[in-house]
């Protein structure tokens, strides 16, 4: 296995890609894969990275806590950072290049900006975080350009993000293939997230109502219950007492679905942190055929 290169600047990234390309025997159609992350890597990221490594000649993982996607009131400074462990994990998975730029490398302070589509970017997460998707698209487009990736790996866990990125690729005619990755859950079924470390055991217990509701919907749909009213009622029963930011069924272009078919059940719940230092929002979803 060749050594994982850890680089922090655009020039070093270019050189690393060139070095890796030179070391590959086949010279034509070398494919580059990118797994964009904000670090604090867990098994959800691992799944994105493994697929990247297995499908590409050169695999790149970016680790960048992107300030542009946080609003001033959010947890940018507190966001978990575990770079040493992240590097070890990537090395063990056979990643070729880890790109860990700092903010100045990515942003020059006076930016051409990119906005999500009006119909998809300002509902659900975008309603609660109106500048979020603009920041996500800004960095994702830069990362696509910097790495010249052929394939990029995104989790279905962030369903709205995935759909908006697919829309950007379509609208801007980007020459990149977006590969969706299934949601990875912890042993207690909570969807893995870097922010789960904020949960103490009491909060975690409460949070388990979320996967329970997701599984209930899945069960009912597999019994061919497609009526959205009935499904939402049974989910609400399980989520009783939690602060639900949103919970509904959406088509893949993020319009409200009429029945639970070929759509996504999207759910966001807010929990207060036990030390009263704020709250954490947990997202989960279910993709239905
Ligand atoms: P983040 O580091 O939170 O920005 O996430 C980086 C990528 O990992 C995104 O494409 C996420 O959707 C994906 N991801 C995060 N958590 C999970 C999970 N539990 N299962 C699958 N993918 C995930």
């Amino acid at each position: 296995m060749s050594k994982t290169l850890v680089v922090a600047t655009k020039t070093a990234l270019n050189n690393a890609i060139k070095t890796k390309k030179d070391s590959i025997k086949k010279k034509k159609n070398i494919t580059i894969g990118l797994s964009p992350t904000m670090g604090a890597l867990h098994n959800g990221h691992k799944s994105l990275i493994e697929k990247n490594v297995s499908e590409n000649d050169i695999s790149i993982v970016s680790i960048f806590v992107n300030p542009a996607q946080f609003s001033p009131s959010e947890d940018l400074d507190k966001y978990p950072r575990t770079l040493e462990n992240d590097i070890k994990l990537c090395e063990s998975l056979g990643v070729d290049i880890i790109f860990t730029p700092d903010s100045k490398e990515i942003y020059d302070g006076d930016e051409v900006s990119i906005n999500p589509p009006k119909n998809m970017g300002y509902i659900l997460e975008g309603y609660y975080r109106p500048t979020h998707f603009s920041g996500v698209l800004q960095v994702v487009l830069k990362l696509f350009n910097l790495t010249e990736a052929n394939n990029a790996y995104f989790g279905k866990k962030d369903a709205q993000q995935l759909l908006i990125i697919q829309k950007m690729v379509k609208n801007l005619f980007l020459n990149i293939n977006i590969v969706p990755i299934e949601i990875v859950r912890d042993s207690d079924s909570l969807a893995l997230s870097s922010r789960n470390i904020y949960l103490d055991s009491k909060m975690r217990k409460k949070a388990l109502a979320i996967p329970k509701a997701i599984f209930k919907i899945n069960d009912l749909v597999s019994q061919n219950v497609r009526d959205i009213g009935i499904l939402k009622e049974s989910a609400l029963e399980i989520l009783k007492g939690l602060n639900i930011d949103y919970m509904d069924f959406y088509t893949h272009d993020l319009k409200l679905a009429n029945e639970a078919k070929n759509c996504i059940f999207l759910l966001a719940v807010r929990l207060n942190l036990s030390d009263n230092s704020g709250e954490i929002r947990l997202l989960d979803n279910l993709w239905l055929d």
Side-chain angles (χ1 to χ4, degrees):
M1 194 194 298
S2 68
K3 198 176 161 4
T4 305
L5 302 173
V6 183
V7 294
T9 65
K10 289 170 278 198
T11 314
L13 176 66
N14 269 334
N15 291 339
I17 294 173
K18 189 170 177 311
T19 306
K20 290 288 175 187
K21 272 188 176 162
D22 289 345
S23 72
I24 296 172
K25 284 204 184 73
K26 83 171 195 196
K27 293 293 167 215
K28 273 192 181 161
N29 303 326
I30 292 176
T31 63
I32 299 179
L34 169 69
S35 305
T37 80
M38 297 207 298
L41 300 182
H42 50 63
N43 281 341
H45 298 111
K46 187 173 165 212
S47 166
L48 253 62
I49 296 170
E50 281 172 335
K51 191 110 170 109
N52 178 355
V53 171
S54 74
E55 289 186 346
N56 295 281
D57 298 305
I58 300 175
S59 52
I60 304 178
V61 172
S62 60
I63 299 179
F64 178 60
V65 184
N66 173 33
Q69 70 188 69
F70 289 75
S71 76
S73 65
E74 290 176 343
D75 58 346
L76 174 64
D77 294 334
K78 276 198 336 198
Y79 195 83
R81 287 163 171 87
T82 59
L83 188 58
E84 234 174 86
N85 284 338
D86 295 350
I87 292 174
K88 276 191 202 137
L89 175 71
C90 290
E91 280 172 345
S92 74
L93 297 175
V95 169
D96 291 303
I97 300 169
I98 304 172
F99 181 46
T100 60
D102 77 9
S103 206
K104 283 195 216 84
E105 197 66 34
I106 298 292
Y107 296 111
D108 71 7
D110 184 23
E111 295 269 318
V112 170
S113 59
I114 169 159
N115 290 318
K118 284 203 180 65
N119 289 332
M120 297 174 83
Y122 302 96
I123 56 168
L124 302 163
E125 282 310 288
Y127 175 80
Y128 292 92
R129 311 176 72 190
T131 57
H132 176 67
F133 288 114
S134 165
V136 169
L137 294 181
Q138 188 86 356
V139 82
V140 165
L141 184 55
K142 284 169 187 260
L143 291 169
F144 287 175
N145 287 332
L146 283 169
T147 58
E148 294 183 26
N150 305 91
N151 300 304
Y153 298 79
F154 290 91
K156 285 181 165 183
K157 160 82 176 14
D158 297 285
Q160 190 176 9
Q161 168 176 286
L162 170 61
L163 294 170
I164 290 175
I165 288 168
Q166 286 173 323
K167 184 76 162 61
M168 172 174 77
V169 167
K170 185 169 167 235
N171 282 169
L172 301 185
F173 307 109
L174 302 182
N175 194 14
I176 190 164
N177 176 37
I178 303 297
V179 186
I181 301 290
E182 293 303 324
I183 298 175
V184 180
R185 298 180 179 278
D186 224 331
S187 52
D188 61 4
S189 298
L190 192 65
L192 285 165
S193 158
S194 305
R195 289 188 171 99
N196 287 355
I197 55 156
Y198 299 143
L199 297 171
D200 64 22
S201 60
K202 213 168 136 199
M203 290 171 78
R204 184 145 189 140
K205 216 164 153 197
K206 272 193 187 171
L208 292 185
I210 300 169
K212 207 168 159 202
I214 296 274
F215 293 156
K216 179 70 183 179
I217 301 261
N218 198 33
D219 276 355
L220 289 171
V221 171
S222 60
Q223 293 162 40
N224 219 16
V225 179
R226 303 273 176 178
D227 183 292
I228 283 176
I230 295 174
L231 294 170
K232 277 168 67 174
E233 215 169 287
S234 59
L236 275 176
E237 184 69 25
I238 295 169
L239 296 165
K240 233 177 357 213
L242 292 182
N243 273 324
I244 301 172
D245 275 352
Y246 56 79
M247 182 194 79
D248 226 316
F249 292 79
Y250 284 84
T251 61
H252 289 201
D253 51 3
L254 291 182
K255 299 204 171 82
L256 278 171
N258 296 321
E259 61 168 348
K261 214 172 197 164
N262 203 5
C263 66
I264 312 164
F265 175 64
L266 291 157
L267 175 60
V269 164
R270 225 168 337 119
L271 293 173
N272 288 320
L273 295 172
S274 320
D275 62 2
N276 285 328
S277 64
E279 52 188 23
I280 170 171
R281 296 178 68 251
L282 297 176
L283 312 189
D284 207 334
N285 61 69
L286 176 69
W287 294 61
L288 295 165
D289 295 335

